Amino acid sequence: MTLPCITAARRFDASAHRPFYFGDERVGWIRERDVALLERWPDVFEIGGGAGQARVALAAGFDTVAARSAALGSVIGALAAEGRIPGWRNETYAIRNAFDAPPLAYIERAASRFFGTMTYAVHLNGVVEYGDSGAPQLWIARRSDTKATDPGMLDNVVAGGIGWGFGVEATLVKECWEEAGIAADLARTARAGRTAHVLQSLPEGTQAEQIFIYDLALPADFVPHNQDGEVGEHRLARIDETARWIEEGAMTVDASLATLDCLLRRRWIDEDACEGIAAIFEPPTL
């Protein structure tokens, strides 16, 4: 059976987009219908058409990190003012095709999906194991109804994007406290799972994201408490309940993949029930 989250994680039509380049390096994807918006800045973007030339490139004169960031920043500000880039975060993301690569430019987080640039996130499975006294359970969060993306949907107990200047562990510790009130000492005991790779089309653009997945053993008497208003509630759920939410599409795509990784690694579900899941842990090829 192919689950909705696995299909969605690769729901991307390259022919409906133009690759976005800095020099010879592709750094993102821009929807065809959004290309016309960028034609207003002929000094910033070089827009090609025709066979083999369908691409958008930042003008060659912007050849430093500062110059690229400034040029994109003015465009992003204008598009956001027109409602073309929703969900402004006041968070800085670096444009880079690998997590440990040097930044090519800095942009507002909300613009990353308009330009289809690579982003990075951490997701944490909060696991409660009762030994001989009962079956394991997972803490599941419901996203606040005011979230810019996927409001009201079910999510992992902790999940967050990795902003520029933060490492994976630092983000994990920060998000653990903000989203669930998990102290730093406990958060640092989390164990790494696999990395999921998402490339999907969304209403706001393209999500090209690597998700670093972690599991954290939580004490039986621990109850998550959200600190930043981004979580509506937390639920302690049985494994069969969680699997049903994934199958029904009640959980976000990202959270579904992170949860499936946990369930598969711990052999709480059979991989035969997750057709196509192995490809999600490999970068997409286009």
Side-chain angles (χ1 to χ4, degrees), residues 88-273:
W88 195 271
R89 305 291 189 91
N90 284 321
E91 294 181 41
T92 299
Y93 270 16
I95 296 180
R96 48 186 172 162
N97 283 329
F99 185 69
D100 56 356
L104 300 172
Y106 302 107
I107 60 173
E108 152 64 27
R109 175 179 177 174
S112 59
R113 292 184 176 178
F114 181 92
F115 289 100
T117 56
M118 182 67 72
T119 58
Y120 305 88
V122 62
H123 278 243
L124 180 83
N125 295 294
V127 183
V128 181
E129 297 192 68
Y130 300 97
D132 296 333
S133 63
Q137 293 183 297
L138 294 176
W139 277 106
I140 302 295
R142 184 181 64 79
R143 295 165 69 84
S144 167
D145 290 334
T146 61
K147 288 283 285 184
T149 57
D150 299 323
M153 293 193 71
L154 299 179
D155 204 343
N156 296 118
V157 66
V158 170
I162 303 176
W164 172 243
F166 288 90
V168 177
E169 182 177 305
T171 300
L172 179 66
V173 170
K174 177 177 74 73
E175 294 291 336
C176 274
W177 175 253
E178 291 177 356
E179 298 204 347
I182 298 172
D185 287 347
L186 178 56
R188 291 191 182 99
T189 67
R191 295 292 178 261
R194 289 178 283 187
T195 300
H197 298 263
V198 174
L199 181 63
Q200 66 166 331
S201 295
L202 297 169
E204 62 269 28
T206 298
Q207 180 191 12
E209 189 158 82
Q210 291 183 19
I211 302 168
F212 300 100
I213 301 168
Y214 283 79
D215 296 348
L216 178 63
L218 292 171
D221 60 352
F222 174 81
V223 178
H225 292 284
N226 180 242
Q227 310 294 316
D228 62 4
E230 295 190 0
V231 176
E233 64 173 327
H234 291 95
R235 308 178 186 181
L236 188 58
R238 302 187 311 272
I239 300 304
D240 64 304
E241 288 180 296
T242 306
R244 188 182 75 250
W245 291 333
I246 293 172
E247 187 175 356
E248 293 173 348
M251 296 184 76
T252 70
V253 170
D254 302 357
S256 295
L257 299 177
T259 305
L260 285 172
D261 179 49
C262 173
L263 301 184
L264 289 166
R265 281 186 285 102
R266 293 169 178 266
R267 301 180 186 275
W268 289 341
I269 61 171
D270 194 324
E271 191 159 344
D272 291 342

Side-chain angles (χ1 to χ4, degrees), residues 12-42:
F12 180 77
D13 179 6
S15 67
H17 300 72
R18 293 200 198 184
F20 180 41
Y21 279 84
F22 290 171
D24 294 328
E25 184 171 1
R26 178 173 58 77
V27 297
W29 295 94
I30 299 171
R31 292 177 295 195
E32 280 288 351
R33 69 174 184 265
D34 290 334
V35 171
L37 298 173
L38 304 181
E39 292 174 349
R40 294 153 50 191
W41 290 277

